[in-house]
Amino acid sequence: MSSTPKSLFEKVWERHIVEDESADRPAVLYIDLHLVHEVTSPQAFSELEARGLKVRRPDRTFATLDHSIPTLGPDAEGNRPYFTPQAKAQVETLERNTAAHGVKLFGWGSENRGVVHVIGPEMGLTQPGYTVVCGDSHTSTHGAFGCIAFGIGTSEVGHVLATQCLAQRKPKTMRITVNGELKPGVSGKDVALAIIQRLGFGGGTGYALEYTGPVIEALDMEGRMTVCNLSIEAGARCGMIAPDQKTVEWLRGRAYVPADYDAAAAEWLKLKTDDGAVFDDEIVIDGSVIEPMATWGTTPDQGGAISKGVPVASNENEVKALNYMGLHGGDSRSVAKVDVVFIGSCTNGRLADLRAAADILRGRKVAEGVRMLVVPGSEQVRIDAVAEGLDKVFTDAGAEWRLPGCSMCIAMNGDFVAPGQLAVSTSNRNFEGRQGPGSRTVLASPATAAASAIAGHVVDPRDYLQSA
Amino acid sequence: MSNQEPINTFSSRIAVLPEANIDTDQIIPARFLTTTTKAGLGDVAFNDWRYNADGSKKADFILNTIDASEHRVLVGGDNFGCGSSREHAPWALTDFGFKAVISTNIADIFKSNSLKNGLLPIVVTPEIHEKLLKNPQQRVTIDLEANSLTLEDGTVFTFAIEAFARQCLLEGVDAMGWILNRLPSIESYEQKTGKAA
């Protein structure tokens, strides 16, 4: 055993090396869990078929329907309202491909269908120390469980289907320590947006991040997933958090966890960065000064404390962003009227997120002229939310309650924000047109989104907290 | 079998999109991702920058003003290709006709996807980038054998590229075939770690 102190990332990485990297060859990295969805997999299955190959490890491959599926239910004849015939054909392609290759599909009718990064952890498919990949950049979410989890393109989806491995170069490592204690009313989403603002959009390019420190430890698993989910919004390859007792208790009893759970958990708890491990870069953030955040621009780093209002542009990019958003530097966030509020996505579509939004909305109404859409992240989240009466809180307030899916986060299923409309969204990207052509997106936490729905403009949710 | 034609040396005029943070939703909006093939995505490359709501072309947008067969090198602003993992982005750019993308920073997944599709991602210094932006009509020469980008004024920039990806591009090595050849090591790893099926 070498005595060189190692980071969590290095420990998990080394356990998955099939062949070492050299100057002219990348490492061959073993993948424990491959998650598949309808949008980025059809061409990969075609590639396998063109070569006469089968999915090598269907027992490590799980598929779901989330990106392009309608969030409204079927009509009386059972026809689902797909946005286009092509979207329907894409879903049928995945149904056919998974059947042909013996891959488990959590499809229509499954009580486990949902957004891929919600269902992986929910079923205990995601386990500490794993390598997890999916043809989706927000795969970084699973890093909250101490996994190396990253998004891949369709060619690589094919490589993993065929071999359960990827050719990879080891990324650089960065430790992000968030010290102090969060103020009441500040969530994991606010922490993530503050980290991205600090790193800059693209500031994490080439890095695997490890989040640590008292603020990260104090977050619940849902909050940790939100933080890891947004790693890619700083350009990072992945983000991870060391497993602790909270991780172990959260996963206990889930469908796919090991039979000898306590023995597995004891191993998981050993996965942590050694004292003295060296990172390529380190940043330290004071969590006690983070306030509820909202973006004002067209990249996730263009955000700030809601209380500080819309900043005055300091460069050409910011001028362009504010112009696109229809916002004016120096204005209070109360000036711009909100048209749409979206609660959901792999970033904030979990039960804890819906509870945070419902706590603010309970007994209140969505402002006149605001359309609010609440989309649970999975069937399980939907079932649990209904059992708690959260759906009723939302519909009583005037919001639409939908079936699980990616919905208005990626806006390819017909759930669009109209051109020029301003949306407050709990999702992950505020790019131009992300939520539909000409749409304008403000990223914020579930509490902020709910409070903004009531106010009709972006507000600090702390003014809307109600005692339980 | 190869995924793409080998690349070695080529000269081309550049097409410049100077905006920083050109994300994959700009390169190809998500609503075009319901396809099950790779074909024809060049038509919707930069769709929302390229077309008006009525489907007519925006006359001043660069991709509407160039001859794709003459302009094979796209120069973008900093942090090009950020955002999603959609391989549809390089599929759209190569289908349009591009063979290389140049920026001061190129996002990881986009870079990896590009290398698998014969689209050469070249990261340059701010000085070289400025020279490209200052003369957006120029012709450049890219020599992958020499890792060099030569500007019209004769400036030669040596770019970095991951060695294996470079070999794949130069020789048209099939990345899927390469990893399939690792199967004996993969099986032995699975046995050793108790991960065998």
Side-chain angles (χ1 to χ4, degrees):
Chain A
M1 281 281 282
S2 158
S3 61
T4 312
K6 285 177 183 163
S7 68
L8 168 63
F9 175 84
E10 288 169 317
K11 289 180 185 181
V12 178
W13 179 268
E14 286 172 9
R15 288 178 186 192
H16 292 88
I17 295 299
V18 172
E19 289 183 15
D20 268 326
E21 70 182 280
S22 64
D24 57 1
R25 285 286 175 274
V28 176
L29 188 73
Y30 194 77
I31 303 304
D32 294 315
L33 175 65
H34 185 194
L35 300 170
V36 173
H37 64 83
E38 74 277 21
V39 172
T40 57
S41 64
Q43 298 86 350
F45 280 107
S46 300
E47 179 75 12
L48 256 65
E49 271 148 32
R51 293 171 187 256
L53 298 168
K54 292 303 252 187
V55 172
R56 183 161 175 274
R57 292 298 299 268
D59 58 323
R60 294 185 176 274
T61 312
F62 296 87
T64 190
L65 307 173
D66 56 3
H67 279 67
S68 65
I69 48 94
T71 56
L72 288 169
D75 64 16
E77 279 82 51
N79 298 312
R80 295 192 179 270
Y82 284 99
F83 184 51
T84 60
Q86 206 177 27
K88 181 168 189 271
Q90 195 175 50
V91 165
E92 289 166 352
T93 302
L94 184 60
E95 290 171 339
R96 211 166 41 242
N97 284 332
T98 49
H101 288 267
V103 170
K104 174 85 185 157
L105 169 67
F106 302 105
W108 293 123
S110 166
E111 287 201 343
N112 292 304
R113 190 188 66 80
V115 177
V116 64
H117 310 309
V118 177
I119 67 166
E122 193 173 76
M123 287 191 282
L125 289 167
T126 305
Q127 294 172 24
Y130 267 16
T131 44
V132 182
V133 298
C134 173
D136 187 278
S137 60
H138 292 104
T139 306
S140 57
T141 311
H142 307 262
F145 294 84
C147 300
I148 293 179
F150 55 95
I152 56 177
T154 298
S155 293
E156 291 188 326
V157 169
H159 297 174
V160 181
L161 290 176
T163 68
Q164 206 57 32
C165 285
L166 280 175
Q168 289 285 303
R169 290 280 178 188
K170 187 174 163 185
K172 294 179 284 184
T173 56
M174 185 189 303
R175 177 159 57 189
I176 299 176
T177 306
V178 189
N179 284 326
E181 194 182 340
L182 293 182
K183 292 176 186 162
V186 177
S187 73
K189 182 65 164 285
D190 302 306
V191 174
L193 289 173
I195 292 171
I196 296 164
Q197 195 188 4
R198 169 72 178 275
L199 269 181
F201 191 50
T205 305
Y207 285 96
L209 310 180
E210 180 180 346
Y211 302 101
T212 187
V215 163
I216 302 298
E217 285 162 27
L219 287 175
D220 59 17
M221 289 311 296
E222 288 79 3
R224 293 180 188 181
M225 281 188 258
T226 302
V227 168
C228 289
N229 172 277
L230 290 166
S231 302
I232 181 70
E233 305 314 327
R237 203 77 178 93
C238 63
M240 61 201 302
I241 296 172
D244 60 9
Q245 205 55 44
K246 220 180 259 187
T247 320
V248 169
E249 294 317 316
W250 196 93
L251 283 171
R252 190 184 294 278
R254 294 184 187 267
Y256 285 86
V257 297
D260 190 352
Y261 190 74
D262 288 320
E267 289 303 309
W268 296 344
L269 290 170
K270 294 179 191 164
L271 286 169
K272 59 179 73 160
T273 291
D274 296 329
D275 289 340
V278 177
F279 289 79
D280 295 296
D281 210 340
E282 296 232 27
I283 65 170
V284 178
I285 288 174
D286 179 2
S288 64
V289 301
I290 298 173
E291 289 195 40
M293 302 277 290
T295 60
W296 45 262
T298 54
T299 51
D301 62 330
Q302 291 179 325
I306 294 164
S307 60
K308 292 202 172 126
V310 180
V312 175
S314 63
N315 60 48
E316 211 178 301
N317 275 340
E318 294 183 359
V319 170
K320 182 170 169 270
L322 285 176
N323 195 31
Y324 180 84
M325 291 297 292
L327 299 174
H328 301 98
D331 276 359
S332 154
R333 298 301 300 240
S334 65
V335 173
K337 188 188 159 305
V338 167
D339 302 295
V340 177
V341 169
F342 171 65
I343 293 186
S345 84
C346 60
T347 311
N348 281 126
R350 298 179 182 81
L351 189 61
D353 301 311
L354 300 193
R355 282 177 181 156
D359 284 347
I360 291 208
L361 276 171
R362 194 167 282 111
R364 290 168 167 160
K365 294 284 181 196
V366 170
E368 188 74 30
V370 175
R371 177 189 181 203
M372 182 172 183
L373 200 67
V374 185
V375 183
S378 70
E379 279 295 330
Q380 283 304 306
V381 170
R382 188 183 67 78
I383 290 162
D384 290 347
V386 169
E388 288 183 17
L390 303 185
D391 58 326
K392 191 86 171 48
V393 173
F394 294 125
T395 52
D396 284 353
E400 297 170 51
W401 172 250
R402 296 291 187 88
L403 298 178
C406 300
S407 181
M408 210 179 256
C409 170
I410 190 164
M412 59 183 293
N413 73 330
D415 297 340
F416 289 111
V417 173
Q421 285 195 331
L422 186 68
V424 179
S425 179
T426 67
S427 55
N428 40 58
R429 290 190 173 132
N430 52 344
F431 300 158
E432 289 183 19
R434 168 76 178 186
Q435 296 189 286
S439 61
R440 295 160 163 167
T441 301
V442 171
L443 299 176
S445 72
T448 299
S452 301
I454 298 164
H457 54 84
V458 175
V459 285
D460 189 320
R462 290 176 297 188
D463 300 336
Y464 288 77
L465 295 175
Q466 315 188 84
S467 47
Chain B
M1 202 195 303
S2 162
N3 285 340
Q4 73 265 328
E5 293 297 306
I7 291 184
N8 191 346
T9 303
F10 67 97
S11 288
S12 167
R13 292 182 67 188
I14 61 172
V16 176
L17 283 171
E19 289 85 352
N21 303 316
I22 293 176
D23 59 78
T24 53
D25 277 275
Q26 309 315 315
I27 299 170
I28 179 165
R31 61 188 186 280
F32 299 112
L33 306 187
T34 51
T35 177
T36 53
T37 71
K38 305 175 185 179
L41 294 177
D43 292 343
V44 293
F46 287 99
N47 189 85
D48 294 352
W49 290 11
R50 200 164 147 202
Y51 303 102
N52 294 304
D54 65 4
S56 61
K57 285 186 174 178
K58 294 181 181 175
D60 57 347
F61 182 64
I62 179 92
L63 266 59
N64 292 329
T65 65
I66 58 173
D67 174 353
S69 66
E70 284 285 309
H71 296 74
R72 315 297 299 273
V73 176
L74 180 62
V75 178
D78 190 50
N79 197 27
F80 188 90
C82 52
S84 91
S85 63
R86 63 190 70 160
E87 200 159 320
H88 309 69
W91 291 338
L93 295 179
T94 53
D95 189 55
F96 184 87
F98 290 117
K99 290 178 75 173
V101 172
I102 301 177
S103 172
T104 41
N105 183 24
I106 299 179
D108 285 334
I109 310 179
F110 176 82
K111 192 190 283 176
S112 163
N113 286 337
S114 295
L115 287 165
K116 292 179 179 66
N117 289 280
L119 181 68
L120 183 61
I122 299 179
V123 176
V124 296
T125 59
E127 293 71 35
I128 295 292
H129 196 249
E130 203 180 318
K131 280 173 181 275
L132 290 163
L133 262 52
K134 269 192 178 154
N135 180 5
Q137 304 296 328
Q138 70 182 288
R139 176 173 289 274
V140 298
T141 300
I142 291 168
D143 183 347
L144 185 56
E145 193 77 61
N147 288 4
S148 70
L149 165 71
T150 307
L151 310 191
E152 203 161 77
D153 69 1
T155 307
V156 179
F157 175 75
T158 304
F159 56 83
I161 175 169
E162 197 276 316
F164 180 61
R166 176 174 175 275
Q167 188 198 343
C168 289
L169 289 172
L170 276 174
E171 298 170 15
V173 171
D174 161 30
M176 171 73 101
W178 184 82
I179 200 152
L180 283 168
N181 283 334
R182 311 270 83 70
L183 277 174
S185 311
I186 296 167
E187 278 160 17
S188 124
Y189 169 89
E190 286 177 328
Q191 290 299 331
K192 197 177 65 192
T193 56
K195 290 180 180 179

